[in-house]
Amino acid sequence: MSTPLPRPYPPNFFKIIEDVLEKEEKDRKPSTELRHNPSSASFVKSDGTVTGACLRQVYYRAIKQPESDKKKFSSKLQAGFGNAIHTWLLDKIKKSDKLKIQPEASGTYHHDELENIISYRLDGLVTHNGDVGGLEIKTQMSYGLSRMLKEGGPKDSDLLQVLSYFGVNDLIRWFSLCYVARDTAFNAEFHLWKDPETDVVMIEGVYPRQNPRPVKELTFNGSVSRWKELESAVKLNQLPPRDYKAVLTKEGVVTDKRVKNGVEYNTDWQCGIAPIKLIVGLCLTLWKIQKRWVCNETCHYYCPWYHSCRWY
């Protein structure tokens, strides 16, 4: 009678994937110099509010500040799903005989007011009916896409990115922003172009249908001014002023909106990355010890979020 074989133990495949992703992160060589890019564009509006990338977040990256709160495995998987959607869609577009596309088209641009170059990479540089344009594919969850559409269209950060592409490449006459929901495949598309007579950037909703309208207030030059401010901060090794504020209740709960003494305060939830429990836990601890809220001025780096942007 033969001896029975021991029980087999298959590998934990998701653990293997997680290990591979961590190794890829460790092996990835960070840039040795500061480079601006369209995804880091931001803008100060006329009312003083900031839209687009958080300048402190970009500053921390520029000085190679280590991330304190690493991305969760689920977030890395979602990023991989987004990359797969990009690849699949671009592969289908390349097979079309109605246009010519150069996927992952990259380049650099030197602006006279900046010491460092602007580095960019489009999802696609497209030639259609003799005109050169750009393609940017955005993937997100369906609830986020639905909320964006209810608020009127592309986010300011996406518009600033497109304005940057217009600013660094004079050949680009139009741009298409295509959105796809990772969970439902719900999609939306917006077209942008420079008005030939006024040079004003116009935007039109293809789906859902929206009439053409000018892109208001946001400009490429405004983003250049912010990058110039970043360069100065890095050179002086001085943290930039904070762009966003948090609103907390007495119980230490972060809220989107709060009314106090008849005044309405809004929370600018810009990064959306820091675990809420870390922020609330910190604030509650400070409240119990010092019996006062100190999160607005005395947290590390004088940042109201403390763990915000995965840096602290």
Side-chain angles (χ1 to χ4, degrees):
M1 183 175 180
S2 60
T3 305
L5 295 174
R7 182 208 141 171
Y9 288 90
N12 184 333
F13 285 98
F14 282 109
K15 182 63 172 68
I16 288 174
I17 295 172
E18 187 173 11
D19 291 342
V20 170
L21 290 173
E22 289 181 358
K23 185 178 185 304
E24 288 179 346
E25 285 185 358
K26 291 179 180 179
D27 294 343
R28 189 178 297 120
K29 295 181 180 180
S31 175
T32 56
E33 60 179 336
L34 171 61
R35 286 194 174 194
H36 308 295
N37 58 77
S39 62
S40 69
S42 60
F43 187 90
V44 181
K45 292 188 172 183
S46 57
D47 61 1
T49 60
V50 176
T51 188
C54 171
L55 199 62
R56 286 193 170 187
Q57 182 190 53
V58 181
Y59 171 82
Y60 290 142
R61 286 176 175 163
I63 64 173
K64 309 297 187 295
Q65 178 78 15
E67 295 181 0
S68 62
D69 186 25
K70 300 293 184 180
K71 285 184 180 179
K72 293 182 178 179
F73 178 53
S74 58
S75 298
K76 296 177 182 179
L77 285 178
Q78 287 187 351
F81 299 157
N83 291 335
I85 293 173
H86 272 77
T87 302
W88 190 86
L89 292 176
L90 286 172
D91 180 64
K92 303 310 171 188
I93 294 173
K94 283 192 297 183
K95 295 178 180 179
S96 173
D97 59 0
K98 298 180 180 180
L99 51 80
K100 292 183 179 180
I101 183 171
Q102 178 186 346
E104 305 295 334
S106 60
T108 58
Y109 177 81
H110 184 269
H111 195 282
D112 292 340
E113 295 186 21
L114 299 173
E115 295 183 12
N116 300 85
I117 63 172
I118 302 172
S119 178
Y120 63 92
R121 185 178 65 180
L122 299 88
D123 285 338
L125 188 64
V126 185
T127 302
H128 180 251
N129 292 336
D131 291 325
V132 176
L135 168 66
E136 186 70 22
I137 299 171
K138 301 288 187 182
T139 64
Q140 57 191 97
M141 300 302 285
S142 57
Y143 65 84
L145 180 53
S146 298
R147 182 177 61 186
M148 184 195 81
L149 295 177
K150 287 179 181 178
E151 293 175 352
K155 297 180 293 185
D156 284 349
S157 56
D158 297 341
L159 295 176
L160 287 171
Q161 190 173 354
V162 172
L163 293 175
S164 296
Y165 288 133
F166 278 133
V168 300
N169 192 327
D170 292 333
L171 295 177
I172 295 178
R173 296 201 61 211
W174 56 265
F175 216 94
S176 178
L177 277 171
C178 295
Y179 295 87
V180 182
R182 289 191 292 262
D183 52 343
T184 64
F186 175 62
N187 53 83
E189 183 172 354
F190 294 85
H191 291 173
L192 297 97
W193 69 95
K194 283 186 177 181
D195 186 288
E197 296 182 359
T198 64
D199 213 33
V200 172
V201 176
M202 304 291 293
I203 182 171
E204 177 183 27
V206 179
Y207 180 79
R209 182 64 187 170
Q210 292 181 1
N211 292 328
R213 64 184 188 276
V215 175
K216 295 183 179 180
E217 190 170 7
L218 305 178
T219 65
F220 173 57
N221 288 336
S223 294
V224 170
S225 297
R226 292 276 286 174
W227 283 329
K228 190 174 181 180
E229 184 180 347
L230 171 66
E231 289 182 345
S232 177
V234 172
K235 183 181 293 185
L236 298 173
N237 194 26
Q238 181 177 348
L239 188 71
R242 63 170 180 254
D243 293 334
Y244 303 93
K245 297 180 179 180
V247 176
L248 287 85
T249 66
K250 277 188 175 182
E251 293 74 27
V253 177
V254 180
T255 63
D256 288 331
K257 193 172 288 187
R258 182 185 178 197
V259 177
K260 181 180 180 181
N261 298 328
V263 179
E264 185 178 275
Y265 298 88
N266 291 319
T267 291
D268 293 311
W269 184 267
Q270 198 274 341
C271 298
I273 296 173
I276 291 292
K277 60 183 180 182
L278 293 181
I279 302 172
V280 174
L282 169 69
C283 294
L284 283 176
T285 300
L286 293 173
W287 174 257
K288 290 176 181 177
I289 295 174
Q290 302 185 26
K291 300 301 180 185
R292 64 188 182 92
W293 294 114
V294 294
C295 59
N296 64 330
E297 286 295 340
T298 57
C299 288
H300 193 54
Y301 278 130
Y302 299 99
C303 175
W305 287 111
Y306 194 73
H307 288 85
S308 178
C309 313
R310 304 194 304 281
W311 281 267
Y312 72 92

